[in-house]
Amino acid sequence: MFALAIHGGAGTIARASLSPDAEREYRAALETALNTGYDLLRDGAAALDAVEAAVRSLEDCPLFNAGRGAVFTHEGHHEMDAALMSGHNRLAGAVTGVRQVQNPIRAARLVMEKTEHVLLGYPGADELAREYGLPLQPKEYFFTQHRYNQLQEALREGRMRLDHSQARPVPATEAPATAPLEEPEKFTEPVEPDPNWKKGTVGAVARDQHGHLAAATSTGGMTNKRYSRIGDTPIIGAGTWADERCAISCTGNGEYFIRAVAAYDVACLMEYKGLSLEEACRIVVQDKLAPVGGEGGLIAVDAAGIITLPFNSEGMYRASRVAGGEALVAIYKE
Ligand code: ASP
């Protein structure tokens, strides 16, 4: 029995805001990534290889906030985060703030396999990737018009925005001291969430034919982020986790997921309380994160290959398939 699930981000994904063409594109991209990982698992590949391949496929697609489609920072750069973890041996690797690596998830794997570290960041992580010959890309590769427009909008509103529905206000006292692409106005009033806000952090979890589990997550983080902000994605236990019981990849307001140690909490509830994967995930997503404003969701698989894809937002780009079964591709609450 093998199983794979992927996500392309969660948030206020209003049916009305997604044209039929856009929806088709998202579904096709999810299907391509799912098939990439599924075919590997079917041919006997390790869960770690399958999740890396699925995430790479999503990183190469400009629709998602990871790799090529990564959102812009306040200064108009891209700072990408990624992590992956292998469950049976608890090995993990992560990068944060990489600017040039085409596939940050590959850099995360390098950290895991070629260094004694777990998390490397900023120029050092790009440097490691360069040394090992990973493809690097110039800034233009990561340019996408809609992300650029999102930054301009966020700068005008003077706020930081997750690649999710809820914008996070920047208090006036934190107003930028330097002028980036456009001088932002100081934030004064709370602003309503923008229903058209694009979503897109990506992730994958898998159980392979040998019973091993793995998880991988990759993101551009938050539009207009500053001060080298780091979300939950590259923090092992917060946005990404795998052990012998479960593999988890999260998407949502990273700060909440960090404070909740969300991914690891699922594993803890299973281990210490004996809960099923589904129950543990429900508690974390609905009972713990949702009440405090931690909008988002996660994808999870357990040692038996059972998959669950809970979220407390309006939608989550997601897809899954277990050995011999049909592929599920979904966006909204069904
Ligand atoms: N969790 C990511 C972060 O906070 C964002 C996302 O999932 O869209 O960086």
Side-chain angles (χ1 to χ4, degrees):
M1 158 63 87
F2 59 91
L4 174 74
I6 62 171
H7 70 78
T12 305
I13 309 170
R15 245 176 233 274
S17 70
L18 214 56
S19 71
D21 280 353
E23 186 174 331
R24 256 194 302 280
E25 278 182 54
Y26 275 104
R27 285 180 180 274
L30 288 168
E31 234 168 78
T32 302
L34 187 72
N35 291 340
T36 303
Y38 183 90
D39 290 351
L40 283 168
L41 290 172
R42 188 199 49 215
D43 295 346
L48 194 66
D49 291 328
V51 294
E52 184 196 330
V55 164
R56 275 172 67 176
S57 165
L58 294 165
E59 284 178 338
D60 289 340
C61 172
L63 290 174
F64 300 100
N65 173 20
R68 183 154 204 184
V71 297
F72 284 89
T73 65
H74 181 71
E75 294 81 11
H77 302 294
H78 301 89
E79 291 178 353
M80 299 168 284
D81 305 332
L84 86 188
M85 186 161 184
S86 163
H88 67 287
N89 50 14
R90 303 271 180 112
L91 292 176
V95 291
T96 184
V98 292
R99 285 192 180 181
Q100 299 168 46
V101 186
Q102 179 175 324
N103 294 106
I105 200 66
R106 290 186 72 187
R109 185 148 182 184
L110 273 184
V111 175
M112 180 181 125
E113 291 179 342
K114 305 291 183 194
T115 80
E116 57 190 304
H117 309 298
V118 172
L119 175 59
L120 295 180
Y122 298 90
D126 280 308
E127 188 52 39
L128 178 82
R130 182 179 300 111
E131 276 177 23
Y132 281 92
L134 290 193
L136 303 181
Q137 295 292 349
K139 204 178 157 192
E140 300 71 56
Y141 171 85
F142 300 101
F143 181 92
T144 45
Q145 191 62 49
H146 70 280
R147 298 289 182 211
Y148 186 75
N149 297 346
Q150 285 174 346
L151 173 64
Q152 295 307 317
E153 204 180 311
L155 286 171
R156 261 196 308 278
E157 291 161 354
R159 62 189 186 177
M160 290 184 286
R161 302 187 76 158
L162 278 165
D163 198 38
H164 291 271
S165 48
Q166 285 284 359
R168 214 187 83 190
V170 186
T173 49
E174 291 175 25
T178 52
L181 297 176
E182 244 185 39
E183 185 66 46
E185 285 165 27
K186 286 184 180 178
F187 174 82
T188 46
E189 294 294 325
V191 188
E192 284 304 303
D194 173 357
N196 296 315
W197 204 245
K198 298 281 187 296
K199 326 297 176 301
T201 287
V202 307
V205 294
R207 189 246 193 226
D208 64 26
Q209 296 191 28
H210 317 285
H212 294 158
L213 303 174
T217 318
S218 181
T219 189
M222 193 161 79
T223 298
N224 200 17
K225 65 182 179 180
R226 310 180 66 193
Y227 311 119
S228 306
R229 178 262 184 189
I230 300 166
D232 59 315
T233 297
I235 298 179
I236 298 300
T240 307
W241 178 261
D243 58 18
E244 59 290 347
R245 275 181 198 82
C246 61
I248 315 287
S249 169
C250 300
T251 171
N253 298 338
E255 281 68 11
Y256 293 88
F257 284 71
I258 292 172
R259 288 190 290 255
V261 201
Y264 184 58
D265 200 21
V266 171
C268 288
L269 286 166
M270 291 178 75
E271 181 175 359
Y272 303 144
K273 281 196 120 182
L275 299 185
S276 68
L277 178 78
E278 198 179 348
E279 184 59 4
C281 289
R282 193 195 59 72
I283 288 174
V284 170
V285 173
Q286 310 299 355
D287 298 352
K288 293 193 170 190
L289 287 166
V292 295
E295 188 195 12
L298 57 82
I299 56 171
V301 65
D302 71 7
I306 290 170
I307 286 172
T308 182
L309 315 164
F311 53 96
N312 59 37
S313 46
E314 210 170 307
M316 179 166 82
Y317 294 105
R318 61 200 186 278
S320 66
R321 190 169 177 193
V322 298
E326 292 292 309
L328 164 119
V329 180
I331 300 176
Y332 317 105
K333 278 193 179 126
E334 304 297 331

mmCIF file of all heavy atoms in Angstrom, residues 132-168:
data_model
loop_
_atom_site.group_PDB
_atom_site.id
_atom_site.type_symbol
_atom_site.label_atom_id
_atom_site.label_comp_id
_atom_site.label_asym_id
_atom_site.label_seq_id
_atom_site.Cartn_x
_atom_site.Cartn_y
_atom_site.Cartn_z
ATOM 1 N N TYR A 132 27.017 22.314 -4.992
ATOM 2 C CA TYR A 132 26.589 20.972 -5.403
ATOM 3 C C TYR A 132 25.942 20.964 -6.786
ATOM 4 O O TYR A 132 25.354 19.973 -7.211
ATOM 5 C CB TYR A 132 25.657 20.369 -4.353
ATOM 6 C CG TYR A 132 26.434 19.816 -3.181
ATOM 7 C CD1 TYR A 132 26.704 20.591 -2.067
ATOM 8 C CD2 TYR A 132 26.944 18.518 -3.220
ATOM 9 C CE1 TYR A 132 27.440 20.107 -1.006
ATOM 10 C CE2 TYR A 132 27.681 18.006 -2.162
ATOM 11 C CZ TYR A 132 27.928 18.809 -1.064
ATOM 12 O OH TYR A 132 28.668 18.308 -0.018
ATOM 13 N N GLY A 133 26.016 22.084 -7.464
ATOM 14 C CA GLY A 133 25.586 22.113 -8.866
ATOM 15 C C GLY A 133 24.092 22.159 -9.094
ATOM 16 O O GLY A 133 23.620 21.817 -10.191
ATOM 17 N N LEU A 134 23.328 22.578 -8.109
ATOM 18 C CA LEU A 134 21.886 22.708 -8.351
ATOM 19 C C LEU A 134 21.645 23.883 -9.293
ATOM 20 O O LEU A 134 22.352 24.889 -9.223
ATOM 21 C CB LEU A 134 21.131 22.988 -7.046
ATOM 22 C CG LEU A 134 21.016 21.877 -6.015
ATOM 23 C CD1 LEU A 134 19.977 22.255 -4.960
ATOM 24 C CD2 LEU A 134 20.627 20.557 -6.656
ATOM 25 N N PRO A 135 20.657 23.795 -10.157
ATOM 26 C CA PRO A 135 20.355 24.916 -11.043
ATOM 27 C C PRO A 135 19.974 26.176 -10.246
ATOM 28 O O PRO A 135 19.127 26.116 -9.358
ATOM 29 C CB PRO A 135 19.157 24.428 -11.857
ATOM 30 C CG PRO A 135 19.110 22.962 -11.675
ATOM 31 C CD PRO A 135 19.782 22.640 -10.388
ATOM 32 N N LEU A 136 20.650 27.281 -10.589
ATOM 33 C CA LEU A 136 20.319 28.580 -9.991
ATOM 34 C C LEU A 136 19.674 29.421 -11.078
ATOM 35 O O LEU A 136 19.910 29.191 -12.267
ATOM 36 C CB LEU A 136 21.575 29.275 -9.468
ATOM 37 C CG LEU A 136 22.400 28.503 -8.446
ATOM 38 C CD1 LEU A 136 23.601 29.329 -7.999
ATOM 39 C CD2 LEU A 136 21.571 28.100 -7.236
ATOM 40 N N GLN A 137 18.903 30.388 -10.664
ATOM 41 C CA GLN A 137 18.206 31.221 -11.646
ATOM 42 C C GLN A 137 18.376 32.693 -11.310
ATOM 43 O O GLN A 137 18.461 33.055 -10.137
ATOM 44 C CB GLN A 137 16.705 30.891 -11.659
ATOM 45 C CG GLN A 137 16.373 29.490 -12.135
ATOM 46 C CD GLN A 137 16.650 29.255 -13.608
ATOM 47 O OE1 GLN A 137 16.906 30.203 -14.365
ATOM 48 N NE2 GLN A 137 16.609 27.996 -14.038
ATOM 49 N N PRO A 138 18.394 33.546 -12.334
ATOM 50 C CA PRO A 138 18.442 34.982 -12.065
ATOM 51 C C PRO A 138 17.084 35.448 -11.542
ATOM 52 O O PRO A 138 16.080 34.732 -11.647
ATOM 53 C CB PRO A 138 18.708 35.593 -13.441
ATOM 54 C CG PRO A 138 18.138 34.599 -14.392
ATOM 55 C CD PRO A 138 18.313 33.239 -13.763
ATOM 56 N N LYS A 139 17.073 36.681 -11.055
ATOM 57 C CA LYS A 139 15.853 37.240 -10.459
ATOM 58 C C LYS A 139 14.658 37.179 -11.422
ATOM 59 O O LYS A 139 13.524 36.929 -11.011
ATOM 60 C CB LYS A 139 16.156 38.695 -10.090
ATOM 61 C CG LYS A 139 15.291 39.241 -9.015
ATOM 62 C CD LYS A 139 15.674 40.654 -8.673
ATOM 63 C CE LYS A 139 14.475 41.333 -8.051
ATOM 64 N NZ LYS A 139 14.603 42.756 -7.928
ATOM 65 N N GLU A 140 14.948 37.400 -12.716
ATOM 66 C CA GLU A 140 13.866 37.454 -13.709
ATOM 67 C C GLU A 140 13.077 36.139 -13.771
ATOM 68 O O GLU A 140 11.890 36.123 -14.075
ATOM 69 C CB GLU A 140 14.400 37.734 -15.118
ATOM 70 C CG GLU A 140 15.151 39.042 -15.290
ATOM 71 C CD GLU A 140 16.513 39.051 -14.610
ATOM 72 O OE1 GLU A 140 17.322 38.158 -14.928
ATOM 73 O OE2 GLU A 140 16.767 39.934 -13.765
ATOM 74 N N TYR A 141 13.766 35.032 -13.506
ATOM 75 C CA TYR A 141 13.088 33.733 -13.571
ATOM 76 C C TYR A 141 11.912 33.692 -12.610
ATOM 77 O O TYR A 141 10.881 33.083 -12.892
ATOM 78 C CB TYR A 141 14.089 32.615 -13.237
ATOM 79 C CG TYR A 141 13.460 31.253 -13.068
ATOM 80 C CD1 TYR A 141 13.210 30.438 -14.171
ATOM 81 C CD2 TYR A 141 13.109 30.767 -11.800
ATOM 82 C CE1 TYR A 141 12.627 29.177 -14.015
ATOM 83 C CE2 TYR A 141 12.536 29.528 -11.630
ATOM 84 C CZ TYR A 141 12.306 28.732 -12.737
ATOM 85 O OH TYR A 141 11.728 27.498 -12.592
ATOM 86 N N PHE A 142 12.081 34.354 -11.454
ATOM 87 C CA PHE A 142 11.060 34.297 -10.420
ATOM 88 C C PHE A 142 10.030 35.418 -10.565
ATOM 89 O O PHE A 142 9.157 35.573 -9.717
ATOM 90 C CB PHE A 142 11.710 34.375 -9.034
ATOM 91 C CG PHE A 142 12.680 33.252 -8.772
ATOM 92 C CD1 PHE A 142 14.051 33.452 -8.886
ATOM 93 C CD2 PHE A 142 12.229 31.982 -8.446
ATOM 94 C CE1 PHE A 142 14.948 32.418 -8.656
ATOM 95 C CE2 PHE A 142 13.125 30.946 -8.218
ATOM 96 C CZ PHE A 142 14.491 31.165 -8.320
ATOM 97 N N PHE A 143 10.167 36.227 -11.622
ATOM 98 C CA PHE A 143 9.218 37.325 -11.807
ATOM 99 C C PHE A 143 7.913 36.804 -12.387
ATOM 100 O O PHE A 143 7.890 36.161 -13.436
ATOM 101 C CB PHE A 143 9.782 38.405 -12.737
ATOM 102 C CG PHE A 143 8.835 39.555 -12.913
ATOM 103 C CD1 PHE A 143 8.917 40.668 -12.086
ATOM 104 C CD2 PHE A 143 7.825 39.508 -13.867
ATOM 105 C CE1 PHE A 143 8.014 41.721 -12.216
ATOM 106 C CE2 PHE A 143 6.918 40.552 -14.008
ATOM 107 C CZ PHE A 143 7.020 41.664 -13.188
ATOM 108 N N THR A 144 6.827 37.081 -11.699
ATOM 109 C CA THR A 144 5.506 36.821 -12.283
ATOM 110 C C THR A 144 4.682 38.086 -12.062
ATOM 111 O O THR A 144 4.711 38.676 -10.977
ATOM 112 C CB THR A 144 4.788 35.617 -11.633
ATOM 113 O OG1 THR A 144 4.928 35.711 -10.212
ATOM 114 C CG2 THR A 144 5.354 34.295 -12.098
ATOM 115 N N GLN A 145 3.976 38.480 -13.093
ATOM 116 C CA GLN A 145 3.265 39.758 -13.042
ATOM 117 C C GLN A 145 2.262 39.827 -11.897
ATOM 118 O O GLN A 145 2.192 40.821 -11.188
ATOM 119 C CB GLN A 145 2.564 40.007 -14.385
ATOM 120 C CG GLN A 145 2.015 41.410 -14.535
ATOM 121 C CD GLN A 145 3.112 42.494 -14.482
ATOM 122 O OE1 GLN A 145 4.126 42.386 -15.165
ATOM 123 N NE2 GLN A 145 2.910 43.508 -13.650
ATOM 124 N N HIS A 146 1.514 38.734 -11.694
ATOM 125 C CA HIS A 146 0.471 38.832 -10.666
ATOM 126 C C HIS A 146 1.078 38.944 -9.271
ATOM 127 O O HIS A 146 0.544 39.607 -8.400
ATOM 128 C CB HIS A 146 -0.552 37.700 -10.769
ATOM 129 C CG HIS A 146 -0.060 36.349 -10.401
ATOM 130 N ND1 HIS A 146 0.673 35.568 -11.247
ATOM 131 C CD2 HIS A 146 -0.210 35.636 -9.259
ATOM 132 C CE1 HIS A 146 0.946 34.418 -10.650
ATOM 133 N NE2 HIS A 146 0.431 34.442 -9.450
ATOM 134 N N ARG A 147 2.247 38.316 -9.066
ATOM 135 C CA ARG A 147 2.917 38.457 -7.764
ATOM 136 C C ARG A 147 3.421 39.895 -7.590
ATOM 137 O O ARG A 147 3.372 40.455 -6.500
ATOM 138 C CB ARG A 147 4.110 37.514 -7.660
ATOM 139 C CG ARG A 147 3.769 36.056 -7.755
ATOM 140 C CD ARG A 147 3.055 35.583 -6.519
ATOM 141 N NE ARG A 147 2.775 34.167 -6.592
ATOM 142 C CZ ARG A 147 1.737 33.574 -6.037
ATOM 143 N NH1 ARG A 147 0.858 34.287 -5.369
ATOM 144 N NH2 ARG A 147 1.552 32.290 -6.132
ATOM 145 N N TYR A 148 3.920 40.461 -8.673
ATOM 146 C CA TYR A 148 4.415 41.832 -8.620
ATOM 147 C C TYR A 148 3.267 42.786 -8.289
ATOM 148 O O TYR A 148 3.391 43.686 -7.458
ATOM 149 C CB TYR A 148 5.063 42.203 -9.955
ATOM 150 C CG TYR A 148 5.731 43.560 -9.923
ATOM 151 C CD1 TYR A 148 6.942 43.746 -9.264
ATOM 152 C CD2 TYR A 148 5.138 44.658 -10.537
ATOM 153 C CE1 TYR A 148 7.546 44.994 -9.218
ATOM 154 C CE2 TYR A 148 5.740 45.905 -10.499
ATOM 155 C CZ TYR A 148 6.944 46.067 -9.840
ATOM 156 O OH TYR A 148 7.529 47.301 -9.780
ATOM 157 N N ASN A 149 2.123 42.536 -8.915
ATOM 158 C CA ASN A 149 0.948 43.361 -8.626
ATOM 159 C C ASN A 149 0.530 43.222 -7.166
ATOM 160 O O ASN A 149 0.132 44.195 -6.522
ATOM 161 C CB ASN A 149 -0.228 42.969 -9.526
ATOM 162 C CG ASN A 149 0.090 43.223 -10.989
ATOM 163 O OD1 ASN A 149 1.059 43.911 -11.313
ATOM 164 N ND2 ASN A 149 -0.718 42.654 -11.883
ATOM 165 N N GLN A 150 0.625 41.991 -6.657
ATOM 166 C CA GLN A 150 0.277 41.765 -5.252
ATOM 167 C C GLN A 150 1.176 42.594 -4.343
ATOM 168 O O GLN A 150 0.721 43.176 -3.353
ATOM 169 C CB GLN A 150 0.449 40.284 -4.878
ATOM 170 C CG GLN A 150 -0.642 39.388 -5.426
ATOM 171 C CD GLN A 150 -0.362 37.915 -5.152
ATOM 172 O OE1 GLN A 150 0.752 37.536 -4.778
ATOM 173 N NE2 GLN A 150 -1.354 37.086 -5.353
ATOM 174 N N LEU A 151 2.466 42.643 -4.685
ATOM 175 C CA LEU A 151 3.399 43.418 -3.865
ATOM 176 C C LEU A 151 3.037 44.895 -3.911
ATOM 177 O O LEU A 151 3.002 45.579 -2.888
ATOM 178 C CB LEU A 151 4.844 43.215 -4.327
ATOM 179 C CG LEU A 151 5.858 44.128 -3.607
ATOM 180 C CD1 LEU A 151 5.911 43.818 -2.108
ATOM 181 C CD2 LEU A 151 7.249 43.989 -4.212
ATOM 182 N N GLN A 152 2.762 45.391 -5.118
ATOM 183 C CA GLN A 152 2.416 46.813 -5.244
ATOM 184 C C GLN A 152 1.198 47.140 -4.391
ATOM 185 O O GLN A 152 1.147 48.163 -3.717
ATOM 186 C CB GLN A 152 2.144 47.167 -6.710
ATOM 187 C CG GLN A 152 3.363 47.039 -7.611
ATOM 188 C CD GLN A 152 4.562 47.805 -7.079
ATOM 189 O OE1 GLN A 152 4.440 48.928 -6.623
ATOM 190 N NE2 GLN A 152 5.727 47.190 -7.113
ATOM 191 N N GLU A 153 0.244 46.226 -4.421
ATOM 192 C CA GLU A 153 -0.979 46.416 -3.649
ATOM 193 C C GLU A 153 -0.664 46.416 -2.152
ATOM 194 O O GLU A 153 -1.120 47.281 -1.399
ATOM 195 C CB GLU A 153 -1.924 45.253 -3.969
ATOM 196 C CG GLU A 153 -3.378 45.536 -3.753
ATOM 197 C CD GLU A 153 -4.197 44.297 -4.106
ATOM 198 O OE1 GLU A 153 -3.969 43.722 -5.199
ATOM 199 O OE2 GLU A 153 -5.024 43.915 -3.289
ATOM 200 N N ALA A 154 0.149 45.450 -1.740
ATOM 201 C CA ALA A 154 0.505 45.353 -0.320
ATOM 202 C C ALA A 154 1.306 46.576 0.120
ATOM 203 O O ALA A 154 1.130 47.085 1.228
ATOM 204 C CB ALA A 154 1.302 44.077 -0.070
ATOM 205 N N LEU A 155 2.182 47.068 -0.760
ATOM 206 C CA LEU A 155 2.980 48.254 -0.430
ATOM 207 C C LEU A 155 2.088 49.478 -0.292
ATOM 208 O O LEU A 155 2.238 50.281 0.622
ATOM 209 C CB LEU A 155 4.033 48.506 -1.510
ATOM 210 C CG LEU A 155 5.239 47.561 -1.528
ATOM 211 C CD1 LEU A 155 6.073 47.789 -2.782
ATOM 212 C CD2 LEU A 155 6.096 47.735 -0.301
ATOM 213 N N ARG A 156 1.134 49.600 -1.215
ATOM 214 C CA ARG A 156 0.210 50.733 -1.171
ATOM 215 C C ARG A 156 -0.585 50.723 0.125
ATOM 216 O O ARG A 156 -0.820 51.752 0.730
ATOM 217 C CB ARG A 156 -0.759 50.667 -2.359
ATOM 218 C CG ARG A 156 -0.363 51.565 -3.515
ATOM 219 C CD ARG A 156 -1.510 51.773 -4.470
ATOM 220 N NE ARG A 156 -2.128 50.539 -4.912
ATOM 221 C CZ ARG A 156 -1.659 49.753 -5.897
ATOM 222 N NH1 ARG A 156 -0.576 50.094 -6.538
ATOM 223 N NH2 ARG A 156 -2.272 48.643 -6.243
ATOM 224 N N GLU A 157 -0.979 49.500 0.529
ATOM 225 C CA GLU A 157 -1.785 49.387 1.747
ATOM 226 C C GLU A 157 -0.911 49.407 2.993
ATOM 227 O O GLU A 157 -1.415 49.438 4.112
ATOM 228 C CB GLU A 157 -2.587 48.084 1.711
ATOM 229 C CG GLU A 157 -3.667 48.108 0.649
ATOM 230 C CD GLU A 157 -4.143 46.708 0.292
ATOM 231 O OE1 GLU A 157 -3.553 45.723 0.778
ATOM 232 O OE2 GLU A 157 -5.093 46.608 -0.491
ATOM 233 N N GLY A 158 0.398 49.334 2.795
ATOM 234 C CA GLY A 158 1.311 49.367 3.931
ATOM 235 C C GLY A 158 1.126 48.189 4.850
ATOM 236 O O GLY A 158 1.111 48.312 6.065
ATOM 237 N N ARG A 159 0.932 47.033 4.282
ATOM 238 C CA ARG A 159 0.740 45.865 5.125
ATOM 239 C C ARG A 159 1.447 44.661 4.539
ATOM 240 O O ARG A 159 1.722 44.612 3.344
ATOM 241 C CB ARG A 159 -0.736 45.559 5.299
ATOM 242 C CG ARG A 159 -1.431 45.236 4.003
ATOM 243 C CD ARG A 159 -2.936 45.165 4.195
ATOM 244 N NE ARG A 159 -3.594 44.723 2.990
ATOM 245 C CZ ARG A 159 -4.894 44.522 2.900
ATOM 246 N NH1 ARG A 159 -5.658 44.722 3.922
ATOM 247 N NH2 ARG A 159 -5.424 44.123 1.766
ATOM 248 N N MET A 160 1.717 43.719 5.446
ATOM 249 C CA MET A 160 2.298 42.464 4.988
ATOM 250 C C MET A 160 1.163 41.507 4.704
ATOM 251 O O MET A 160 0.150 41.533 5.400
ATOM 252 C CB MET A 160 3.195 41.878 6.076
ATOM 253 C CG MET A 160 4.453 42.667 6.273
ATOM 254 S SD MET A 160 5.517 41.881 7.466
ATOM 255 C CE MET A 160 4.665 42.244 8.983
ATOM 256 N N ARG A 161 1.327 40.718 3.697
ATOM 257 C CA ARG A 161 0.240 39.813 3.368
ATOM 258 C C ARG A 161 0.757 38.412 3.205
ATOM 259 O O ARG A 161 1.722 38.178 2.505
ATOM 260 C CB ARG A 161 -0.422 40.246 2.068
ATOM 261 C CG ARG A 161 -0.959 41.650 2.138
ATOM 262 C CD ARG A 161 -1.740 41.980 0.933
ATOM 263 N NE ARG A 161 -3.038 41.335 0.987
ATOM 264 C CZ ARG A 161 -4.080 41.766 0.284
ATOM 265 N NH1 ARG A 161 -3.966 42.792 -0.503
ATOM 266 N NH2 ARG A 161 -5.231 41.157 0.369
ATOM 267 N N LEU A 162 0.058 37.516 3.886
ATOM 268 C CA LEU A 162 0.318 36.117 3.626
ATOM 269 C C LEU A 162 -0.228 35.819 2.251
ATOM 270 O O LEU A 162 -1.075 36.553 1.754
ATOM 271 C CB LEU A 162 -0.426 35.247 4.638
ATOM 272 C CG LEU A 162 0.279 35.090 5.972
ATOM 273 C CD1 LEU A 162 -0.687 34.538 6.986
ATOM 274 C CD2 LEU A 162 1.482 34.180 5.824
ATOM 275 N N ASP A 163 0.216 34.757 1.667
ATOM 276 C CA ASP A 163 -0.345 34.368 0.399
ATOM 277 C C ASP A 163 -1.659 33.635 0.665
ATOM 278 O O ASP A 163 -1.910 32.560 0.171
ATOM 279 C CB ASP A 163 0.613 33.474 -0.361
ATOM 280 C CG ASP A 163 0.240 33.433 -1.829
ATOM 281 O OD1 ASP A 163 -0.154 34.488 -2.348
ATOM 282 O OD2 ASP A 163 0.314 32.360 -2.427
ATOM 283 N N HIS A 164 -2.428 34.243 1.540
ATOM 284 C CA HIS A 164 -3.698 33.697 1.989
ATOM 285 C C HIS A 164 -4.657 34.853 2.076
ATOM 286 O O HIS A 164 -4.323 35.976 1.756
ATOM 287 C CB HIS A 164 -3.537 33.027 3.356
ATOM 288 C CG HIS A 164 -2.721 31.789 3.272
ATOM 289 N ND1 HIS A 164 -3.260 30.565 3.014
ATOM 290 C CD2 HIS A 164 -1.399 31.619 3.357
ATOM 291 C CE1 HIS A 164 -2.291 29.684 2.961
ATOM 292 N NE2 HIS A 164 -1.149 30.299 3.166
ATOM 293 N N SER A 165 -5.838 34.590 2.584
ATOM 294 C CA SER A 165 -6.873 35.602 2.542
ATOM 295 C C SER A 165 -6.643 36.773 3.493
ATOM 296 O O SER A 165 -6.883 37.910 3.145
ATOM 297 C CB SER A 165 -8.207 34.958 2.882
ATOM 298 O OG SER A 165 -8.052 34.177 4.026
ATOM 299 N N GLN A 166 -6.186 36.507 4.709
ATOM 300 C CA GLN A 166 -6.119 37.562 5.707
ATOM 301 C C GLN A 166 -4.834 38.366 5.575
ATOM 302 O O GLN A 166 -3.745 37.849 5.732
ATOM 303 C CB GLN A 166 -6.149 36.954 7.108
ATOM 304 C CG GLN A 166 -7.526 36.471 7.505
ATOM 305 C CD GLN A 166 -8.434 37.613 7.871
ATOM 306 O OE1 GLN A 166 -8.034 38.772 7.855
ATOM 307 N NE2 GLN A 166 -9.669 37.318 8.189
ATOM 308 N N ALA A 167 -4.967 39.617 5.325
ATOM 309 C CA ALA A 167 -3.794 40.488 5.327
ATOM 310 C C ALA A 167 -3.419 40.776 6.775
ATOM 311 O O ALA A 167 -4.280 40.846 7.632
ATOM 312 C CB ALA A 167 -4.131 41.782 4.632
ATOM 313 N N ARG A 168 -2.130 40.929 7.030
ATOM 314 C CA ARG A 168 -1.739 41.263 8.390
ATOM 315 C C ARG A 168 -1.257 42.691 8.439
ATOM 316 O O ARG A 168 -0.285 43.046 7.791
ATOM 317 C CB ARG A 168 -0.641 40.324 8.882
ATOM 318 C CG ARG A 168 -0.793 40.070 10.368
ATOM 319 C CD ARG A 168 0.351 39.286 10.908
ATOM 320 N NE ARG A 168 1.476 40.151 11.198
ATOM 321 C CZ ARG A 168 2.672 39.705 11.511
ATOM 322 N NH1 ARG A 168 2.902 38.435 11.527
ATOM 323 N NH2 ARG A 168 3.644 40.526 11.790
#
